[in-house]
Amino acid sequence: MNKLMNDEKILIVEDEKKIADIVRSYLERDGFNVTIADTGKTALHQIKKNFDLIILDLMLPDIDGETICSSIREFSDIPIIMLTAKSAEDDRIKGLGTGADDYVIKPFSPRELVARVKAHLRRTKKNGKKVLSFNNSLLVIDAPSMEVRKNREIIPLTSTEFRILLCLAEKPQMVFTRLQIVNAVQGYDFEGYDRVIDAHIKNIRHKIEDNPQKPVFIKTVYGTGYKFIGIPD
Ligand code: CA
């Protein structure tokens, strides 16, 4: 067995014991340190400890996953993968609107989930060593510290939002398709990714643009995708 010790701590928030136990055993096999919370209340208590990633079920007995996700986002940019039984695309997009990085639809393959966990952790670490500055230091993207500052104020972005912004801003004026963006930031593509990217871009614009209707950083290229139009300093 290919046992890797990677010491990273994963919190699984799921009340269905069977599912939580299966995911736990797959993650532990790869050397992850796993904690399970079976209620939203326990999760919000546990999250104060240092985790590297959260797997969050949407349907919990006490507090719903979206609410937990929003609460976590008030103080942390930790990668969050949502588990959802909801198949309607709008519900999934709503999940991303609350700040989740990714979602997996039940029933899912534990192996696929573990692959996504690894992809998110890998990408959180590899954000490069650059500090990019645009529009006379109006927008600064500090890759090593994963910080984005606008007018010297830190803009809280989720790790996926950060990676999307970095991917575009590294190549100003270059047009990226949604598929290129999803491949660059997630390392895989999935059904419905185009609307997912649109949802993330919408979130990013609300955070970095003065007027999201008239963006000066991320421009929509109709029929194609997006490009970064900030002017490098
Ligand atoms: Ca559940």
Side-chain angles (χ1 to χ4, degrees):
M1 192 188 296
N2 179 20
K3 183 153 182 140
L4 302 162
M5 289 311 294
N6 47 38
D7 240 22
E8 281 154 321
K9 297 183 186 66
I10 314 283
L11 177 65
I12 302 173
V13 187
E14 167 66 281
D15 59 309
E16 281 167 85
K17 195 175 180 303
K18 225 171 111 185
I19 294 177
D21 284 345
I22 289 172
V23 175
R24 186 221 292 262
S25 72
Y26 271 82
L27 286 168
E28 284 182 346
R29 203 180 295 172
D30 275 341
F32 290 102
N33 189 327
V34 180
T35 303
I36 295 175
D38 62 0
T39 63
K41 215 178 143 196
T42 323
L44 288 175
H45 181 70
Q46 288 281 353
I47 193 62
K48 306 267 156 41
K49 297 176 192 166
N50 256 336
F51 287 100
D52 296 292
L53 183 142
I54 299 174
I55 296 170
L56 173 63
D57 185 39
L58 268 185
M59 309 288 246
L60 295 163
D62 52 348
I63 312 169
D64 66 85
E66 282 115 334
T67 306
I68 294 172
C69 192
S70 305
S71 311
I72 294 169
R73 281 290 172 256
E74 283 170 18
F75 63 90
S76 169
D77 59 3
I78 184 170
I80 299 176
I81 301 178
M82 275 196 178
L83 301 181
T84 171
K86 296 178 177 176
S87 57
E89 200 178 30
D90 284 340
D91 285 337
R92 291 185 250 151
I93 300 298
K94 202 176 128 210
L96 293 171
T98 62
D101 293 282
D102 200 359
Y103 60 81
V104 171
I105 301 159
K106 290 178 175 178
F108 57 86
S109 132
R111 205 163 284 155
E112 160 77 12
L113 176 59
V114 172
R116 291 204 190 188
V117 166
K118 287 181 181 171
H120 279 282
L121 290 173
R122 199 166 51 233
R123 270 147 218 284
T124 304
K125 280 185 206 152
K126 283 189 189 168
N127 280 312
K129 295 187 164 55
K130 293 171 290 261
V131 177
L132 307 174
S133 174
F134 301 94
N135 298 23
N136 297 319
S137 301
L138 176 64
L139 187 75
V140 174
I141 304 170
D142 185 333
S145 65
M146 275 187 78
E147 271 177 12
V148 172
R149 291 185 292 276
K150 190 183 166 194
N151 276 331
R152 295 194 191 83
E153 268 185 48
I154 291 180
I155 306 291
L157 296 184
T158 68
S159 61
T160 298
E161 288 164 7
F162 181 86
R163 293 197 303 269
I164 291 173
L165 178 61
L166 183 63
C167 158
L168 294 171
E170 277 178 330
K171 290 172 180 158
Q173 301 302 331
M174 178 167 156
V175 179
F176 285 84
T177 65
R178 290 168 180 82
L179 182 59
Q180 283 172 326
I181 296 171
V182 83
N183 279 327
V185 305
Q186 310 271 59
Y188 53 84
D189 55 42
F190 49 92
E191 200 189 333
Y193 67 81
D194 45 353
R195 287 196 58 200
V196 168
I197 291 298
D198 291 346
H200 285 310
I201 295 278
K202 193 175 164 199
N203 290 343
I204 297 168
R205 277 184 177 148
H206 274 280
K207 293 177 182 179
I208 67 167
E209 302 280 3
D210 285 340
N211 179 358
Q213 309 302 323
K214 289 182 182 161
V216 299
F217 294 114
I218 300 178
K219 189 175 175 350
T220 303
V221 182
Y222 289 99
T224 312
Y226 295 99
K227 70 175 176 179
F228 188 85
I229 52 166
I231 298 150
D233 293 334

